[in-house]
mmCIF file of all heavy atoms in Angstrom:
data_model
loop_
_atom_site.group_PDB
_atom_site.id
_atom_site.type_symbol
_atom_site.label_atom_id
_atom_site.label_comp_id
_atom_site.label_asym_id
_atom_site.label_seq_id
_atom_site.Cartn_x
_atom_site.Cartn_y
_atom_site.Cartn_z
ATOM 1 N N PRO A 1 -9.102 -22.925 -8.943
ATOM 2 C CA PRO A 1 -9.126 -22.033 -10.100
ATOM 3 C C PRO A 1 -9.855 -22.616 -11.218
ATOM 4 O O PRO A 1 -10.023 -23.951 -11.253
ATOM 5 C CB PRO A 1 -7.713 -21.788 -10.530
ATOM 6 C CG PRO A 1 -7.003 -22.869 -10.056
ATOM 7 C CD PRO A 1 -7.685 -23.378 -8.729
ATOM 8 N N PRO A 2 -10.430 -21.730 -12.167
ATOM 9 C CA PRO A 2 -11.144 -22.464 -13.242
ATOM 10 C C PRO A 2 -10.274 -23.225 -14.114
ATOM 11 O O PRO A 2 -9.063 -22.817 -14.428
ATOM 12 C CB PRO A 2 -11.773 -21.224 -13.906
ATOM 13 C CG PRO A 2 -10.827 -20.045 -13.549
ATOM 14 C CD PRO A 2 -10.355 -20.308 -12.100
ATOM 15 N N THR A 3 -10.664 -24.297 -14.664
ATOM 16 C CA THR A 3 -9.787 -25.138 -15.550
ATOM 17 C C THR A 3 -9.812 -24.585 -17.000
ATOM 18 O O THR A 3 -8.899 -24.930 -17.713
ATOM 19 C CB THR A 3 -10.408 -26.498 -15.541
ATOM 20 O OG1 THR A 3 -11.752 -26.526 -15.944
ATOM 21 C CG2 THR A 3 -10.236 -27.094 -14.160
ATOM 22 N N SER A 4 -10.696 -23.720 -17.415
ATOM 23 C CA SER A 4 -10.837 -23.202 -18.820
ATOM 24 C C SER A 4 -10.876 -21.692 -18.622
ATOM 25 O O SER A 4 -11.655 -21.192 -17.823
ATOM 26 C CB SER A 4 -12.063 -23.839 -19.487
ATOM 27 O OG SER A 4 -13.218 -23.327 -18.914
ATOM 28 N N THR A 5 -10.058 -21.069 -19.460
ATOM 29 C CA THR A 5 -10.050 -19.592 -19.456
ATOM 30 C C THR A 5 -10.379 -19.249 -20.939
ATOM 31 O O THR A 5 -10.192 -19.840 -21.860
ATOM 32 C CB THR A 5 -8.732 -19.056 -18.962
ATOM 33 O OG1 THR A 5 -7.708 -19.806 -19.785
ATOM 34 C CG2 THR A 5 -8.528 -19.348 -17.555
ATOM 35 N N SER A 6 -10.928 -17.999 -21.068
ATOM 36 C CA SER A 6 -11.347 -17.448 -22.289
ATOM 37 C C SER A 6 -10.337 -16.632 -23.069
ATOM 38 O O SER A 6 -10.200 -16.815 -24.164
ATOM 39 C CB SER A 6 -12.768 -16.626 -22.147
ATOM 40 O OG SER A 6 -12.367 -15.641 -21.208
ATOM 41 N N GLY A 7 -9.478 -15.825 -22.288
ATOM 42 C CA GLY A 7 -8.578 -14.955 -23.062
ATOM 43 C C GLY A 7 -7.204 -15.431 -22.789
ATOM 44 O O GLY A 7 -6.771 -16.212 -21.823
ATOM 45 N N SER A 8 -6.118 -14.829 -23.562
ATOM 46 C CA SER A 8 -4.760 -15.284 -23.521
ATOM 47 C C SER A 8 -4.377 -14.661 -22.219
ATOM 48 O O SER A 8 -3.478 -15.423 -21.486
ATOM 49 C CB SER A 8 -4.011 -14.745 -24.706
ATOM 50 O OG SER A 8 -4.231 -13.263 -24.767
ATOM 51 N N THR A 9 -4.800 -13.524 -21.756
ATOM 52 C CA THR A 9 -4.204 -12.896 -20.505
ATOM 53 C C THR A 9 -4.565 -13.672 -19.362
ATOM 54 O O THR A 9 -3.944 -14.001 -18.385
ATOM 55 C CB THR A 9 -4.780 -11.328 -20.366
ATOM 56 O OG1 THR A 9 -4.473 -10.691 -21.449
ATOM 57 C CG2 THR A 9 -4.309 -10.768 -19.087
ATOM 58 N N ALA A 10 -5.894 -14.161 -19.460
ATOM 59 C CA ALA A 10 -6.309 -15.088 -18.290
ATOM 60 C C ALA A 10 -5.591 -16.352 -18.199
ATOM 61 O O ALA A 10 -5.248 -17.046 -17.123
ATOM 62 C CB ALA A 10 -7.915 -15.426 -18.427
ATOM 63 N N LYS A 11 -5.152 -16.991 -19.370
ATOM 64 C CA LYS A 11 -4.372 -18.205 -19.499
ATOM 65 C C LYS A 11 -2.999 -17.946 -18.965
ATOM 66 O O LYS A 11 -2.459 -18.730 -18.143
ATOM 67 C CB LYS A 11 -4.286 -18.678 -20.875
ATOM 68 C CG LYS A 11 -5.585 -19.251 -21.466
ATOM 69 C CD LYS A 11 -5.418 -19.819 -22.736
ATOM 70 C CE LYS A 11 -6.702 -20.220 -23.264
ATOM 71 N NZ LYS A 11 -6.655 -20.645 -24.826
ATOM 72 N N VAL A 12 -2.340 -16.803 -19.129
ATOM 73 C CA VAL A 12 -1.025 -16.452 -18.529
ATOM 74 C C VAL A 12 -1.183 -16.272 -17.035
ATOM 75 O O VAL A 12 -0.255 -16.826 -16.360
ATOM 76 C CB VAL A 12 -0.475 -15.066 -19.190
ATOM 77 C CG1 VAL A 12 0.714 -14.619 -18.492
ATOM 78 C CG2 VAL A 12 -0.207 -15.505 -20.700
ATOM 79 N N ALA A 13 -2.260 -15.572 -16.561
ATOM 80 C CA ALA A 13 -2.462 -15.341 -15.208
ATOM 81 C C ALA A 13 -2.672 -16.604 -14.448
ATOM 82 O O ALA A 13 -2.152 -16.947 -13.440
ATOM 83 C CB ALA A 13 -3.590 -14.387 -14.947
ATOM 84 N N LEU A 14 -3.387 -17.590 -15.144
ATOM 85 C CA LEU A 14 -3.715 -18.803 -14.486
ATOM 86 C C LEU A 14 -2.438 -19.727 -14.428
ATOM 87 O O LEU A 14 -2.065 -20.347 -13.421
ATOM 88 C CB LEU A 14 -4.793 -19.678 -15.274
ATOM 89 C CG LEU A 14 -5.114 -21.035 -14.726
ATOM 90 C CD1 LEU A 14 -5.693 -20.849 -13.188
ATOM 91 C CD2 LEU A 14 -6.070 -21.674 -15.678
ATOM 92 N N ALA A 15 -1.589 -19.688 -15.412
ATOM 93 C CA ALA A 15 -0.296 -20.409 -15.376
ATOM 94 C C ALA A 15 0.630 -19.910 -14.246
ATOM 95 O O ALA A 15 1.200 -20.676 -13.584
ATOM 96 C CB ALA A 15 0.284 -20.419 -16.803
ATOM 97 N N LEU A 16 0.637 -18.506 -14.224
ATOM 98 C CA LEU A 16 1.659 -17.808 -13.255
ATOM 99 C C LEU A 16 1.193 -18.232 -11.827
ATOM 100 O O LEU A 16 2.045 -18.558 -11.007
ATOM 101 C CB LEU A 16 1.688 -16.340 -13.456
ATOM 102 C CG LEU A 16 2.508 -15.834 -14.568
ATOM 103 C CD1 LEU A 16 2.360 -14.401 -14.775
ATOM 104 C CD2 LEU A 16 3.998 -16.246 -14.314
ATOM 105 N N THR A 17 -0.097 -18.088 -11.553
ATOM 106 C CA THR A 17 -0.573 -18.309 -10.199
ATOM 107 C C THR A 17 -0.381 -19.912 -9.844
ATOM 108 O O THR A 17 -0.322 -20.177 -8.620
ATOM 109 C CB THR A 17 -1.997 -17.867 -10.005
ATOM 110 O OG1 THR A 17 -2.813 -18.382 -11.024
ATOM 111 C CG2 THR A 17 -2.081 -16.337 -10.014
ATOM 112 N N THR A 18 -0.598 -20.617 -10.811
ATOM 113 C CA THR A 18 -0.413 -22.049 -10.543
ATOM 114 C C THR A 18 1.137 -22.369 -10.139
ATOM 115 O O THR A 18 1.364 -23.173 -9.195
ATOM 116 C CB THR A 18 -0.740 -22.877 -11.801
ATOM 117 O OG1 THR A 18 -2.084 -22.724 -12.019
ATOM 118 C CG2 THR A 18 -0.626 -24.426 -11.486
ATOM 119 N N ILE A 19 1.956 -21.724 -10.780
ATOM 120 C CA ILE A 19 3.430 -21.824 -10.596
ATOM 121 C C ILE A 19 3.995 -21.269 -9.344
ATOM 122 O O ILE A 19 4.585 -21.756 -8.441
ATOM 123 C CB ILE A 19 4.325 -21.433 -11.839
ATOM 124 C CG1 ILE A 19 3.937 -22.343 -12.909
ATOM 125 C CG2 ILE A 19 5.765 -21.499 -11.507
ATOM 126 C CD1 ILE A 19 4.563 -21.949 -14.298
ATOM 127 N N VAL A 20 3.697 -20.001 -9.162
ATOM 128 C CA VAL A 20 4.240 -19.110 -8.061
ATOM 129 C C VAL A 20 3.277 -18.877 -6.895
ATOM 130 O O VAL A 20 3.704 -18.361 -5.920
ATOM 131 C CB VAL A 20 4.847 -17.761 -8.548
ATOM 132 C CG1 VAL A 20 5.982 -17.975 -9.504
ATOM 133 C CG2 VAL A 20 3.826 -16.911 -9.162
ATOM 134 N N GLY A 21 1.977 -19.087 -6.993
ATOM 135 C CA GLY A 21 1.200 -19.002 -5.901
ATOM 136 C C GLY A 21 0.194 -17.753 -6.030
ATOM 137 O O GLY A 21 -0.911 -18.005 -6.019
ATOM 138 N N THR A 22 0.756 -16.651 -6.158
ATOM 139 C CA THR A 22 -0.013 -15.469 -6.379
ATOM 140 C C THR A 22 0.471 -14.506 -7.410
ATOM 141 O O THR A 22 1.596 -14.599 -7.779
ATOM 142 C CB THR A 22 -0.191 -14.634 -5.004
ATOM 143 O OG1 THR A 22 1.089 -14.131 -4.683
ATOM 144 C CG2 THR A 22 -0.730 -15.518 -3.940
ATOM 145 N N MET A 23 -0.397 -13.534 -7.923
ATOM 146 C CA MET A 23 -0.012 -12.709 -8.930
ATOM 147 C C MET A 23 1.002 -11.735 -8.364
ATOM 148 O O MET A 23 1.892 -11.139 -9.066
ATOM 149 C CB MET A 23 -1.147 -11.950 -9.629
ATOM 150 C CG MET A 23 -1.838 -12.711 -10.590
ATOM 151 S SD MET A 23 -0.824 -13.379 -11.918
ATOM 152 C CE MET A 23 -0.386 -12.010 -12.785
ATOM 153 N N TRP A 24 0.948 -11.365 -6.951
ATOM 154 C CA TRP A 24 1.813 -10.397 -6.422
ATOM 155 C C TRP A 24 3.145 -10.942 -6.372
ATOM 156 O O TRP A 24 4.144 -10.268 -6.573
ATOM 157 C CB TRP A 24 1.345 -10.093 -4.860
ATOM 158 C CG TRP A 24 0.158 -9.190 -4.968
ATOM 159 C CD1 TRP A 24 -1.068 -9.529 -4.601
ATOM 160 C CD2 TRP A 24 0.142 -7.894 -5.498
ATOM 161 N NE1 TRP A 24 -1.883 -8.401 -4.755
ATOM 162 C CE2 TRP A 24 -1.243 -7.361 -5.244
ATOM 163 C CE3 TRP A 24 0.987 -6.938 -5.929
ATOM 164 C CZ2 TRP A 24 -1.652 -6.148 -5.711
ATOM 165 C CZ3 TRP A 24 0.599 -5.662 -6.300
ATOM 166 C CH2 TRP A 24 -0.708 -5.200 -6.135
ATOM 167 N N CYS A 25 3.328 -12.339 -6.182
ATOM 168 C CA CYS A 25 4.674 -12.868 -6.275
ATOM 169 C C CYS A 25 5.064 -12.895 -7.645
ATOM 170 O O CYS A 25 6.291 -12.576 -7.857
ATOM 171 C CB CYS A 25 4.540 -14.330 -5.782
ATOM 172 S SG CYS A 25 6.181 -15.298 -5.585
ATOM 173 N N ALA A 26 4.313 -13.113 -8.631
ATOM 174 C CA ALA A 26 4.824 -13.017 -10.058
ATOM 175 C C ALA A 26 5.176 -11.656 -10.367
ATOM 176 O O ALA A 26 6.283 -11.416 -11.127
ATOM 177 C CB ALA A 26 3.687 -13.355 -11.047
ATOM 178 N N TYR A 27 4.476 -10.590 -9.850
ATOM 179 C CA TYR A 27 4.993 -9.211 -10.099
ATOM 180 C C TYR A 27 6.324 -8.932 -9.494
ATOM 181 O O TYR A 27 7.136 -8.266 -9.934
ATOM 182 C CB TYR A 27 3.911 -8.227 -9.526
ATOM 183 C CG TYR A 27 2.554 -8.170 -10.228
ATOM 184 C CD1 TYR A 27 1.423 -7.944 -9.513
ATOM 185 C CD2 TYR A 27 2.481 -8.501 -11.637
ATOM 186 C CE1 TYR A 27 0.168 -7.999 -10.126
ATOM 187 C CE2 TYR A 27 1.122 -8.556 -12.227
ATOM 188 C CZ TYR A 27 0.091 -8.261 -11.582
ATOM 189 O OH TYR A 27 -1.138 -8.417 -12.005
ATOM 190 N N ALA A 28 6.454 -9.414 -8.288
ATOM 191 C CA ALA A 28 7.868 -9.215 -7.587
ATOM 192 C C ALA A 28 8.897 -9.920 -8.378
ATOM 193 O O ALA A 28 9.988 -9.195 -8.479
ATOM 194 C CB ALA A 28 7.774 -9.854 -6.131
ATOM 195 N N PHE A 29 8.737 -11.065 -8.927
ATOM 196 C CA PHE A 29 9.777 -11.745 -9.717
ATOM 197 C C PHE A 29 9.961 -10.900 -10.940
ATOM 198 O O PHE A 29 11.130 -10.845 -11.405
ATOM 199 C CB PHE A 29 9.321 -13.145 -10.036
ATOM 200 C CG PHE A 29 9.425 -14.111 -8.906
ATOM 201 C CD1 PHE A 29 8.434 -15.140 -8.808
ATOM 202 C CD2 PHE A 29 10.441 -14.032 -7.977
ATOM 203 C CE1 PHE A 29 8.641 -16.077 -7.759
ATOM 204 C CE2 PHE A 29 10.497 -14.845 -6.929
ATOM 205 C CZ PHE A 29 9.599 -15.933 -6.790
ATOM 206 N N ALA A 30 9.034 -10.325 -11.591
ATOM 207 C CA ALA A 30 9.068 -9.600 -12.728
ATOM 208 C C ALA A 30 9.948 -8.254 -12.551
ATOM 209 O O ALA A 30 10.834 -7.925 -13.235
ATOM 210 C CB ALA A 30 7.806 -9.138 -13.366
ATOM 211 N N VAL A 31 9.651 -7.600 -11.326
ATOM 212 C CA VAL A 31 10.345 -6.424 -11.054
ATOM 213 C C VAL A 31 11.824 -6.739 -10.765
ATOM 214 O O VAL A 31 12.673 -6.025 -11.174
ATOM 215 C CB VAL A 31 9.628 -5.693 -9.901
ATOM 216 C CG1 VAL A 31 10.606 -4.662 -9.300
ATOM 217 C CG2 VAL A 31 8.269 -5.100 -10.349
ATOM 218 N N LEU A 32 12.201 -7.787 -10.080
ATOM 219 C CA LEU A 32 13.376 -8.220 -9.719
ATOM 220 C C LEU A 32 14.186 -8.459 -11.076
ATOM 221 O O LEU A 32 15.375 -8.088 -11.062
ATOM 222 C CB LEU A 32 13.449 -9.484 -8.762
ATOM 223 C CG LEU A 32 14.777 -10.012 -8.432
ATOM 224 C CD1 LEU A 32 15.484 -8.960 -7.564
ATOM 225 C CD2 LEU A 32 14.617 -11.287 -7.725
ATOM 226 N N ALA A 33 13.613 -9.174 -11.917
ATOM 227 C CA ALA A 33 14.232 -9.495 -13.187
ATOM 228 C C ALA A 33 14.554 -8.260 -14.034
ATOM 229 O O ALA A 33 15.660 -8.055 -14.595
ATOM 230 C CB ALA A 33 13.409 -10.411 -13.985
ATOM 231 N N LEU A 34 13.609 -7.224 -14.074
ATOM 232 C CA LEU A 34 13.760 -5.945 -14.774
ATOM 233 C C LEU A 34 14.824 -5.084 -14.155
ATOM 234 O O LEU A 34 15.678 -4.460 -14.820
ATOM 235 C CB LEU A 34 12.484 -5.176 -14.799
ATOM 236 C CG LEU A 34 11.447 -5.888 -15.768
ATOM 237 C CD1 LEU A 34 10.251 -5.156 -15.791
ATOM 238 C CD2 LEU A 34 12.039 -6.020 -17.166
ATOM 239 N N VAL A 35 15.039 -5.103 -12.738
ATOM 240 C CA VAL A 35 16.038 -4.345 -11.980
ATOM 241 C C VAL A 35 17.386 -4.918 -12.414
ATOM 242 O O VAL A 35 18.263 -4.193 -12.565
ATOM 243 C CB VAL A 35 15.709 -4.307 -10.558
ATOM 244 C CG1 VAL A 35 17.041 -3.870 -9.750
ATOM 245 C CG2 VAL A 35 14.594 -3.466 -10.274
#
């Protein structure tokens, strides 16, 4: 993944995908938490 990102949304997405692997996994965790 790129080491530098331009926007805050890109920085959040990069941090999430580094931790959980994919954005789909991050979405699943978010839905589970909201439920």
Side-chain angles (χ1 to χ4, degrees):
T3 56
S4 63
T5 53
S6 58
S8 60
T9 305
K11 290 179 183 179
V12 170
L14 180 61
L16 281 173
T17 54
T18 301
I19 294 170
V20 296
T22 64
M23 283 305 293
W24 287 112
C25 186
Y27 295 148
F29 287 146
V31 168
L32 179 64
L34 291 176
V35 166

